[in-house]
Amino acid sequence: MHEKRQLVKVAAITGLALVMTTGIALASMGKGTVTADALRLRSQANTNSAILNLAPRNSVVTLLEELDGWYKVSYGDQVGYMSADWLDVTQSGSEAVVGQGTVTADALNVRSGAGTVYNRLGLLYKGTSVMILEDCGNGWYKISGGGYTGYVSGEWVKVSGNSSSDSSDAQPIGTGTVNTACLNVRSGAGTGYSRVGYLYSGNSVSILKDCGNGWYQISYGSGSAYVCAEYISTGSDSGDSDGGEQTTGIVTADALNVRSGAGTGYSRLGLLYSGNSVTILGSSNGWYKISYGNGVGYVSAEYVSTKGGDNNSGSSSTSSIGEQAVALAKQQLGKPYVYGAAGPNGFDCSGLFYYIFNRLGVNIARGSSSQYYNSGTFVSVDEMQPGDLVYLFDPKYDYSGGSLPTTHVLMYIGNNTVLHASTTSNTVRTDTLFGGYYGNYVVAVKRMG
């Protein structure tokens, strides 16, 4: 550890010098990676001080100051102290700012590494400005902003200040339609340029310029960007005419994924909800091609009922465990919160879901921490579906001294809404997940079915 700390001291001096000479670099002592299963972030540099948060293994923190056996660090939107014995200091030095961007998603995960498998540090919300420190080349940016330094999906960050010219006033020379499931939109005419977003099958684009090297410059956002011309159909002879009479369908699932192709392996374009009406353009292998936004999308035919069809044939499939769990959970709304209770007339937070899933034939553990460790499978927030359980950790409600992974559990029921046995109202109720209190403390999502 002593050699690593010496490297950090040298890096701090180097970083300060860069700031003084260039004015565009961010100085820090360096980075540290958590090597413990869960490392406590404390209010002071001693084991008797209050625990502010828990950082899971492989979390990356920013080192601000070295003390005797401790580091002052920044983790998420909090500043505190961590034991130096459990931090692997492998990164140091300064990072030049390579651009600026604005968050376009309602709630965007900030992660400790460039991918969905890394721990989530927190959330950024629509309109937040960030500094892009690095284009990781795999659809992810390293950013600083909103109280975080971490990694975000480039799909949900609009990059500003990097277009090649003032092309926003250019007049379109034609229009085209995306003919591939998911098309990269880049900052320049070639695959070596950074990705600034995506277009999906059926999206219409305004072509500003044929660059002559197999790339088009197109209108994108408030400016312009570039796409590979191979994946843009510009004529009326694409051969993808559906013909025939269009059919109307009604979504029967609480929340139904809309995908860019006919299968679960394709990217998700968005969600439809129970009762939504859709225009069906075609069908193949258990999937419907539907009108979606300004283009098309694909949904599982299992969860769309066609008007005038024989819905009483007795062959309709049973809804998923998640959908059944949501339906049963909604029946408990208004029942009282009772500590230690697991139904049927009262519940605590984990008892509610113990009751629901065991009634559906899915055996899960009784306590929220036991469920976290022993029941179901972890899924990313990005793939969360109705019926998934959402685990929170808020330090002010942790009476274990930091030994437990979670302080509350809720069920996601779709449309950014969770259902839970609340100690605030002492009833089973619904609340907004992201954009309110709860979204700030999500530590895991698990699927029980």
Side-chain angles (χ1 to χ4, degrees), residues 51 101 105 118 121 126 141 150-151 176 203 317 355 369-370 409:
I51 299 170
Y118 290 91
L121 305 180
K126 180 178 285 188
Y141 293 135
Y151 299 81
N203 287 167
S317 61
Y355 170 80
S369 293
S370 295
V409 58

Side-chain angles (χ1 to χ4, degrees), residues 241-265:
S241 175
D242 295 296
E245 184 178 351
Q246 296 178 347
T247 306
T248 300
I250 302 296
V251 174
T252 60
D254 283 345
L256 178 61
N257 289 322
V258 183
R259 298 192 178 272
S260 60
T264 57

